[in-house]
Amino acid sequence: MISPNPEQRLALSYAPPETRQALKTLFSLDETLGAIVRTTREPIIGQMRLTWWYEALGRLDTAPAPTEPVLVALQHEVLPFGVSGAMLGKLTDGWEALLEPDLDAGAIECFARDRGRRLFDLAATIVAVSDDRIGLAGEGWALADLAQKLTETAGRDLARIRASEALDQALQGRWPSSARALGALAVSARFDMTSGAAGPGSPKRVARLAWHRLTGY
């Protein structure tokens, strides 16, 4: 399975032990779907590959997973927490939005909702926390990631503005202890949207994530 970046790995380590592996596997699926978009030059080929994953994820609800490591891990580690394969399959909608020839405001909003919010809402199901800030944090996290990868100025600026707004709202107040892995991801993303902020893995950022883990703020 694809490994997350070190700061994401640190944040996910904040999850309660009984849910930690499930969250890591869930985010491994996100990395896998993202790799499809990053390595596909022809949109139709990308759509075909995402469709394969959509259908394969849906079949996890009714049949044993094929010999694909991510699918096997999802069936054994994520589905027992009440997340269905059909729910996981809908994550492909967010990534498919990036295959549009023109990445307009509608496509960016679709990506935020169907990748970021959906992913974090599924994570919230795993950690058994109901909090509106989690979905909002997911939108901001996904848009911050997008803003760092876009080269087209208008789309990048829009993603950056929307990410900052969503993250600022999501990080208001104290986060519940079981959800602080997700809160830490939002904290990390907010650093990425701050001009002149310390780089990933810097002592300042690591200390800020640790403070969130300890206090929820």
Side-chain angles (χ1 to χ4, degrees):
M1 293 187 289
I2 298 173
S3 299
N5 64 62
E7 202 160 275
Q8 179 173 311
R9 186 162 59 245
L10 174 64
L12 292 178
S13 74
Y14 296 167
E18 64 273 16
T19 62
R20 192 174 300 151
Q21 186 56 48
L23 286 184
K24 290 179 180 179
T25 299
L26 176 64
F27 277 81
S28 180
L29 171 61
D30 178 69
E31 291 285 337
T32 299
L33 298 178
I36 291 174
V37 175
R38 288 193 298 271
T39 59
T40 300
R41 294 185 178 182
E42 295 294 331
I44 187 64
I45 301 299
Q47 289 173 345
M48 291 172 62
R49 293 173 69 188
L50 288 173
T51 296
W52 184 91
W53 275 93
Y54 172 80
E55 294 174 348
L57 289 164
R59 285 194 292 269
L60 293 180
D61 294 328
T62 57
T67 55
E68 202 294 325
V70 175
L71 292 173
V72 172
L74 288 165
Q75 191 166 62
H76 288 91
E77 297 166 1
V78 174
L79 267 60
F81 286 92
V83 173
S84 70
M87 293 175 185
L88 295 170
K90 291 180 180 178
L91 289 169
T92 60
D93 292 342
W95 287 107
E96 190 170 358
L98 298 189
L99 297 174
E100 295 292 333
D102 296 315
L103 196 61
D104 59 13
I108 289 174
E109 291 299 324
C110 178
F111 178 75
R113 180 186 67 244
D114 292 334
R115 182 218 178 177
R117 175 175 285 273
R118 197 181 298 278
L119 181 68
F120 273 51
D121 282 346
L122 293 175
T125 298
I126 292 173
V127 299
V129 173
S130 178
D131 190 319
D132 291 341
R133 292 174 298 177
I134 293 177
L136 194 60
E139 291 188 7
W141 173 83
L143 289 169
D145 182 47
L146 180 64
Q148 294 179 92
K149 292 179 171 62
L150 286 178
T151 56
E152 186 268 314
T153 304
R156 184 180 65 235
D157 290 347
L158 176 59
R160 180 177 290 274
I161 291 169
R162 278 280 289 107
S164 299
E165 292 173 347
L167 291 166
D168 285 344
Q169 293 181 54
L171 292 171
Q172 291 182 8
R174 186 180 186 185
W175 275 59
S177 59
S178 295
R180 286 177 193 169
L182 305 174
L185 290 173
V187 170
S188 178
R190 191 63 186 89
F191 265 109
D192 291 335
M193 295 297 95
T194 303
S195 298
S202 67
K204 182 177 180 179
R205 286 175 65 136
V206 171
R208 177 65 182 89
L209 265 63
W211 178 252
H212 179 80
R213 180 187 190 181
L214 180 66
T215 68
Y217 290 102

